[in-house]
Amino acid sequence: MSEQLPVVSLFSGAGGLDLAVERADAEPLATDDPGSGLLRVSVATDYNEPALETLKANFHDTKTLTGDIREVPTDQILATAGLQSADPVLVVGGPPCTPFSKSGFWLEQKRESRDPNASLLDEYVRVVREARPEAFILENVQGLTYKTHKAQFERLLKALGELGYNPQWKVLLAADYGVPQLRRRVFVVGRRDGERFNFPEPTHSGWSEHSRSVDASKIPHVTAAQAFAGLPLLVRASEEEIVDGSYGELAAEIPPGQNYLWHTERYGGRNHFEWRSRYWTFLLRLDPNRPSTTLQAQPGPWVGPFHWENIRTDSDELRARRLRVNEMLRLMSFPDDFKIDGSRADVQRQLGNAVPLELGKAVARALMSQLGYMDRERASRFAAFA
């Protein structure tokens, strides 16, 4: 394209949502299709420099700005990209989800929504107010919509509504859009002209932890085995991949799709744990015939999902293994050649915080179609294809 539409990215992380908007008109589930270049992320911001290094390695034309958003003026963000107020077509981003995630609920301040990072929602509103984009996409964990955080969520919607953007929100399941992962995220989308945004219809269907109903008119959910198809098979695992230690033997004995409950009196393993005494993902193994559970950013040493196949250690013992980088990329529907430096744990931290590519593409594609930048017939054909 001779002229690309500028996008401002906040809380960019590794760039999952950024990649989604730049590939909004790419073929669904075709990770080697970069799209036509309709949208370009002109500037990306984050406080985490390693995450921005990942973004720089994959977005060569994007300017980056490192810093605490609470201390970075909107004018500076726009100037970094050579933009002025009302120039951006989109502002996108997901404020850090720690205050609203299940993983922090044992902390009283998070149960009561007193985590200081919750104020980052207000910073997102501030940039939208001052940058005046044609539209915005905000995403976060489903927990933001829970009763516990009702005050913060309602304040966010009210503030964006007062700017005239008529914000619409919906919790979407990534697997319903072709992502091989049962990951739920809330999206808030608004348009400067006040027109109502309509969320894209799911293209896939299958049973999840919340529902066993399946829409036979849609494509079946993509399974973990389908996602891993074509990846190289390695007999030996690196040391950081091996699930060993206190629960090493127990983890290796758990069948695909099962967790620590296998080793309770109600199942066929050892009677080692009390029934429902641990979190669901404790010693969880992937089921090859279903999408993965949510890929967590900072799991403990015994938190899955682990691969369904065991590996042999140098001492010839069977052990479960953690997912490899190329497998995590597939579960996030990212391109195989997406570059992330660091250890396996560093990669999982960045990918676990990211937006699955195909989920983000579905939302961005619907928005750009409704704004008139994409042909509606073409967008509909994409949806049917996915």
Side-chain angles (χ1 to χ4, degrees), residues 51-100:
L52 284 183
E53 288 301 319
T54 293
L55 193 138
K56 292 175 187 176
N58 296 281
F59 298 80
H60 304 297
D61 298 326
T62 298
K63 304 292 185 182
T64 59
L65 187 59
T66 308
D68 186 333
I69 192 66
R70 290 167 291 195
E71 300 174 0
V72 180
T74 306
D75 286 347
Q76 183 181 359
I77 297 173
L78 294 173
T80 301
L83 301 173
Q84 297 180 348
S85 181
D87 283 349
V89 170
L90 298 180
V91 164
V92 303
C97 58
T98 308
F100 317 113

Side-chain angles (χ1 to χ4, degrees), residues 11-300:
F11 315 103
S12 307
L17 193 51
D18 302 42
L19 195 64
V21 297
E22 288 205 349
R23 297 189 176 201
D25 63 344
E27 291 288 341
L29 304 182
T31 58
D32 58 348
D33 181 3
S36 68
L38 173 68
L39 293 162
R40 182 176 69 85
V41 177
S42 300
V43 58
T45 69
D46 203 285
Y47 75 97
N48 185 269
E49 183 59 34
L52 284 183
E53 288 301 319
T54 293
L55 193 138
K56 292 175 187 176
N58 296 281
F59 298 80
H60 304 297
D61 298 326
T62 298
K63 304 292 185 182
T64 59
L65 187 59
T66 308
D68 186 333
I69 192 66
R70 290 167 291 195
E71 300 174 0
V72 180
T74 306
D75 286 347
Q76 183 181 359
I77 297 173
L78 294 173
T80 301
L83 301 173
Q84 297 180 348
S85 181
D87 283 349
V89 170
L90 298 180
V91 164
V92 303
C97 58
T98 308
F100 317 113
S101 66
K102 292 180 181 180
S103 61
F105 264 40
W106 69 86
L107 297 176
E108 182 179 0
Q109 67 172 10
K110 290 186 179 181
R111 289 198 305 271
E112 298 178 359
S113 287
R114 290 190 283 111
D115 190 298
N117 284 335
S119 66
L120 296 178
L121 293 173
D122 300 319
E123 297 302 321
Y124 189 100
V125 174
R126 181 257 300 178
V127 175
V128 170
R129 181 177 64 248
E130 296 173 358
R132 297 296 297 166
E134 192 168 344
F136 69 82
I137 300 174
L138 183 151
E139 69 81 35
N140 215 292
V141 292
Q142 182 182 8
L144 177 59
T145 67
Y146 293 169
K147 183 178 179 180
T148 311
H149 305 300
K150 181 179 179 180
Q152 279 85 350
F153 193 45
E154 288 185 346
R155 187 177 75 244
L156 169 70
L157 296 176
K158 180 181 178 182
L160 292 168
E162 289 175 345
L163 298 178
Y165 279 84
N166 189 17
Q168 304 298 312
W169 69 273
K170 191 172 186 179
V171 175
L172 303 179
L173 177 63
D176 287 347
Y177 297 89
V179 179
Q181 188 178 165
L182 297 170
R183 185 187 190 97
R184 296 180 187 274
R185 307 293 283 195
V186 61
F187 284 80
V188 183
V189 183
R191 297 172 49 163
R192 188 175 61 200
D193 60 11
E195 291 293 319
R196 180 187 179 90
F197 171 71
N198 297 308
F199 282 92
E201 288 296 316
T203 53
H204 294 63
S205 182
W207 62 272
S208 69
E209 69 277 21
H210 294 162
S211 173
R212 294 302 173 101
S213 63
V214 178
D215 186 344
S217 69
K218 300 186 185 304
I219 301 169
H221 282 165
V222 179
T223 68
Q226 289 173 323
F228 294 168
L231 291 178
L233 299 177
L234 301 177
V235 178
R236 297 290 179 180
S238 67
E239 185 175 346
E240 65 176 350
E241 292 172 357
I242 299 173
V243 181
D244 209 345
S246 304
Y247 303 111
E249 288 186 13
L250 294 176
E253 295 171 2
I254 295 174
Q258 300 287 344
N259 62 2
Y260 78 97
L261 293 175
W262 180 255
H263 291 301
T264 65
E265 62 180 1
R266 302 195 189 189
Y267 281 86
R270 309 183 198 183
N271 187 8
H272 187 89
F273 299 105
E274 294 294 325
W275 181 256
R276 292 187 175 176
S277 61
R278 303 295 179 107
Y279 195 62
W280 173 255
T281 53
F282 190 76
L283 302 186
L284 177 66
R285 306 294 296 271
L286 278 180
D287 184 339
N289 299 314
R290 298 195 62 227
S292 170
T293 53
T294 298
L295 184 68
Q296 296 188 32
Q298 294 179 291

